[in-house]
Amino acid sequence: MKKLIFLSLFLIFSCSSDNESDNSCTPVACLNGGTQTTDCGCDCSDGYIGSDCSTRLIPISVKITNITVKKFPNLDNGNLWDALSDADITFTIESPSDIEIYEEPTYYNDASGLNVSYPFTLDPALTIYNVTGNHTLYLFDYDDLLLDDFMAGLVFKPYDSSREGFPTSFTISNNANTFECDFTVEYTW
């Protein structure tokens, strides 16, 4: 019985440590806005995973909430878009498979393509699940009862890994640099 008590006491005291550093860990440098945890790990920002938050995820979806038209062709082959006035701008968005997924229900009357910005709030916002596909935004001169005149188009990816992180807004221009828009977006992982 004395041997059992002695052995029990020996095990209890030999397993405990008065030295706190025995339980310490080596901190990891957290990347991409991650924050250090008490156990020397990282709590990663949205869109990042890994022990040091170095791996960027591809979003499940990107929601476009606003589009601001910043530049567009002011004239139609040297003429005003409408007989006596500037264009009445509106737009549509097509998926990579050329299916229209959004048609803006409003337009700006007599819009000038010269250094004026035209913000559109998408209502409802457009949620896109093919986030890495090439989508196309087409700008039109709204003509009420007549067929709308095509003005310009630009191709964009809702998520592009070449952009730094996950910007909540980004600017896209067409190849001719005659049409430019700002996109405001939200990401879901």
Side-chain angles (χ1 to χ4, degrees):
M1 176 84 158
K2 287 183 183 182
K3 287 183 181 181
L4 183 60
I5 293 173
F6 176 74
L7 181 62
S8 297
L9 289 173
F10 175 76
L11 289 174
I12 290 171
F13 286 110
S14 65
C15 292
S16 66
S17 173
D18 294 333
N19 186 351
E20 294 284 327
S21 65
D22 290 296
N23 295 327
S24 66
C25 56
T26 304
V28 174
C30 301
L31 304 173
N32 298 309
T35 56
Q36 193 77 50
T37 61
T38 57
D39 64 354
C40 299
C42 295
D43 278 335
C44 298
S45 300
D46 284 343
Y48 295 95
I49 60 171
S51 61
D52 61 355
C53 306
S54 62
T55 304
R56 189 186 331 182
L57 296 171
I58 295 175
I60 294 169
S61 68
V62 175
K63 183 186 296 184
I64 301 173
T65 58
N66 295 339
I67 294 176
T68 299
V69 177
K70 295 173 55 176
K71 181 193 325 184
F72 59 89
N74 199 47
L75 298 174
D76 179 18
N77 295 318
N79 299 314
L80 293 173
W81 284 99
D82 291 331
L84 301 173
S85 64
D86 287 327
D88 305 323
I89 61 169
T90 190
F91 64 89
T92 62
I93 297 174
E94 287 188 1
S95 71
S97 55
D98 300 325
I99 296 171
E100 186 176 289
I101 57 175
Y102 185 82
E103 180 178 2
E104 175 57 37
T106 65
Y107 64 92
Y108 278 97
N109 192 34
D110 293 330
S112 170
L114 303 174
N115 301 319
V116 179
S117 292
Y118 298 95
F120 290 88
T121 299
L122 281 64
D123 187 21
L126 173 62
T127 301
I128 296 176
Y129 294 95
N130 182 352
V131 299
T132 58
N134 287 325
H135 293 70
T136 308
L137 187 146
Y138 293 107
L139 186 70
F140 293 98
D141 172 26
Y142 176 75
D143 283 330
D144 198 20
L145 299 176
L146 302 174
L147 187 61
D148 295 343
D149 298 317
F150 170 76
M151 298 177 69
L154 57 80
V155 175
F156 70 97
K157 291 181 180 182
Y159 168 74
D160 189 336
S161 61
S162 67
R163 292 185 200 118
E164 183 68 29
F166 299 98
T168 56
S169 65
F170 53 87
T171 302
I172 302 290
S173 298
N174 66 356
N175 289 339
N177 201 30
T178 58
F179 181 31
E180 182 176 275
C181 294
D182 286 343
F183 293 76
T184 304
V185 297
E186 299 172 1
Y187 304 92
T188 303
W189 291 272

